[in-house]
């Protein structure tokens, strides 16, 4: 069964799916994207992801490639055609195809690509049971990381550095020693008295959808969230640390730059948040 991608109006075999060489996403990273988790046959938090897409497109003055309703249909269709029960669906909207020129082209159609991929939940579960390691890297991204653009080169380099160091994620750290977020995840700690701490989303991070849904879950579980900066030193001394993202859900962090967090084992709060996440996330049947 071949994988299928949606590319600018057509469902095509993934292996031969292609965009034009003058797509502005390819030449200028002039585009935005979203990744939704697919779990047990449902697309998770689609409304919030499409709200954030709307915000990203608005900031870059890129037109929606089609109506929101039509895009929802395509997301569901790509998930279905790829028989994804657990995995992810990816969408990318770029400003479109035009002769290479930095300024916005006149009258260009936004380009849309949607792909989906299966993943084995047992792999993620095993990872959560052991926890992951992170390294820290100096923040070197542009200021508008609140817009989910495909311009991810610093994130790519940071992730590669983490991999070479035997870690799963890299945390960007400001010159004042405070943690921003991971290369593809938001960063959290749990204080000794059980409060969840995460950096305010107004302060140089992406407002993760998983992060937002975790606020709903924390409220349901009677947990307090403090939105404030925390330092690498505070994270190392914390009761727990964890990261969140659509496909990562909630993932315990057990070491930072080679130093163990608490006893070096996944924290119970992170694991229970992970276990209950799907109860609160919005579920759209594919
Ligand atoms: N921060 C960054 C830089 C990301 O790239 C991502 C996800 O790709 C996140 C945070 C987590 O966002 P979400 O929970 O919406 O997946």
């Amino acid at each position: 069964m071949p994988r299928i991608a949606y590319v600018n109006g057509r469902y095509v075999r993934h292996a031969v799916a292609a965009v034009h060489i003058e797509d502005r996403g390819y030449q200028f990273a002039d585009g935005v994207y979203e990744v939704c988790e697919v779990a047990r046959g449902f697309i998770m938090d689609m409304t919030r992801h499409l709200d954030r897409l709307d915000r990203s497109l608005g900031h870059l003055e890129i037109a929606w490639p089609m109506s929101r309703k039509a895009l929802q249909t395509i997301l569901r269709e790509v998930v279905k055609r790829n028989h994804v029960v657990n995995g992810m669906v990816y969408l990318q909207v770029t400003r479109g195809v035009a002769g290479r020129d930095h300024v916005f082209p006149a009258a260009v159609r936004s380009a849309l690509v949607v792909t989906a991929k299966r993943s084995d939940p047992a792999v993620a579960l095993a990872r959560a049971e052991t926890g992951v390691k992170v390294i820290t890297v100096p923040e070197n991204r542009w200021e508008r990381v609140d817009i989910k653009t495909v311009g991810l080169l610093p994130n790519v380099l940071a992730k590669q550095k983490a991999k070479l160091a035997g870690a799963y994620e890299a945390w960007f750290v400001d010159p004042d020693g405070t943690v921003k977020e991971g290369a593809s995840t938001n960063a959290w700690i749990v204080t000794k008295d059980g409060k969840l701490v995460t950096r305010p989303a107004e302060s140089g991070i992406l407002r993760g959808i998983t992060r937002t849904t975790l606020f709903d879950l924390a409220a349901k579980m009677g947990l307090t969230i403090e939105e404030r900066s925390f330092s690498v030193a505070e994270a190392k001394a914390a009761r727990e640390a964890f990261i969140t993202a659509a496909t990562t859900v909630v993932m315990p962090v057990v070491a930072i730059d080679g130093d163990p967090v608490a006893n070096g084992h996944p924290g119970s709060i992170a694991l229970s948040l992970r276990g209950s996440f799907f109860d609160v996330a919005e579920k759209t049947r594919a």
Side-chain angles (χ1 to χ4, degrees):
M1 185 63 77
R3 279 181 74 192
I4 301 294
Y6 175 92
V7 183
N8 293 322
R10 280 189 296 183
Y11 293 96
V12 291
R13 279 204 302 125
H14 190 279
V16 295
V19 294
H20 195 278
I21 55 168
E22 285 192 316
D23 185 294
R24 288 179 63 96
Y26 177 56
Q27 292 194 325
F28 294 117
D30 189 1
V32 301
Y33 74 106
E34 284 294 329
V35 178
C36 300
E37 164 93 345
V38 179
R40 302 164 201 166
F42 293 93
I43 302 175
M44 312 305 289
D45 281 325
M46 183 149 82
T47 303
R48 282 179 170 159
H49 282 282
L50 294 182
D51 287 349
R52 186 173 62 186
L53 175 69
D54 185 52
R55 180 181 182 278
S56 299
L57 290 171
H59 276 294
L60 300 188
E61 297 174 46
I62 296 176
W64 273 75
M66 60 186 57
S67 73
R68 183 172 170 134
K69 203 156 173 266
L71 180 54
Q72 284 174 350
T73 303
I74 290 168
L75 291 175
R76 284 201 297 266
E77 189 62 28
V78 173
V79 169
K80 262 198 289 191
R81 288 192 188 213
N82 288 283
H83 306 283
V84 177
V85 177
N86 295 290
M88 57 99 113
V89 58
Y90 174 89
L91 75 90
Q92 174 172 318
V93 181
T94 70
R95 198 177 303 279
V97 175
R100 191 179 182 280
D101 183 5
H102 288 67
V103 296
F104 295 177
V108 68
R109 266 184 76 94
S110 325
L112 172 66
V113 169
V114 180
T115 59
K117 199 165 107 185
R118 279 181 255 175
S119 65
D120 181 356
V123 173
L125 186 63
R127 187 175 284 140
E129 279 167 358
T130 50
V132 299
K133 299 173 184 170
V134 304
I135 60 163
T136 60
V137 293
E139 175 66 285
N140 62 355
R141 300 174 299 163
W142 74 325
E143 279 176 10
R144 297 309 309 272
V145 293
D146 58 304
I147 307 171
K148 199 165 170 61
T149 81
V150 296
L152 291 171
L153 193 51
N155 310 55
V156 165
L157 298 178
K159 220 38 167 200
Q160 179 66 12
K161 198 169 175 194
K163 185 183 174 185
L164 293 177
Y168 178 79
E169 180 59 299
W171 279 357
F172 289 110
V173 175
D174 261 350
D176 67 0
T178 58
V179 174
K180 299 287 278 296
E181 63 180 332
S184 63
T185 58
N186 287 121
W188 299 71
I189 57 170
V190 182
T191 61
K192 295 274 187 275
D193 56 353
K195 289 194 183 108
L196 311 183
V197 181
T198 194
R199 192 177 181 103
E202 293 75 25
S203 178
I205 64 166
L206 181 74
R207 189 186 291 276
I209 302 305
T210 318
R211 177 188 182 281
T212 301
T213 298
L214 217 64
F215 277 67
D216 298 343
L217 178 57
K220 209 176 144 199
M221 291 171 67
L223 294 166
T224 305
I225 296 182
E226 275 179 21
E227 274 186 287
R228 64 166 173 84
S229 296
F230 60 87
S231 67
V232 176
E234 186 181 1
K236 285 182 179 176
R239 174 165 150 186
E240 297 183 22
F242 62 91
I243 52 179
T244 56
T247 52
T248 314
V249 194
V250 177
M251 187 59 69
V253 170
V254 294
I256 301 168
D257 288 334
D259 295 327
V261 176
N263 61 4
H265 292 289
S268 58
I269 293 180
L271 288 177
S272 66
L273 288 167
R274 181 183 179 86
S276 302
F277 189 81
F278 295 120
D279 302 343
V280 294
E282 180 207 32
K283 291 169 274 293
T284 303
R285 190 177 283 284

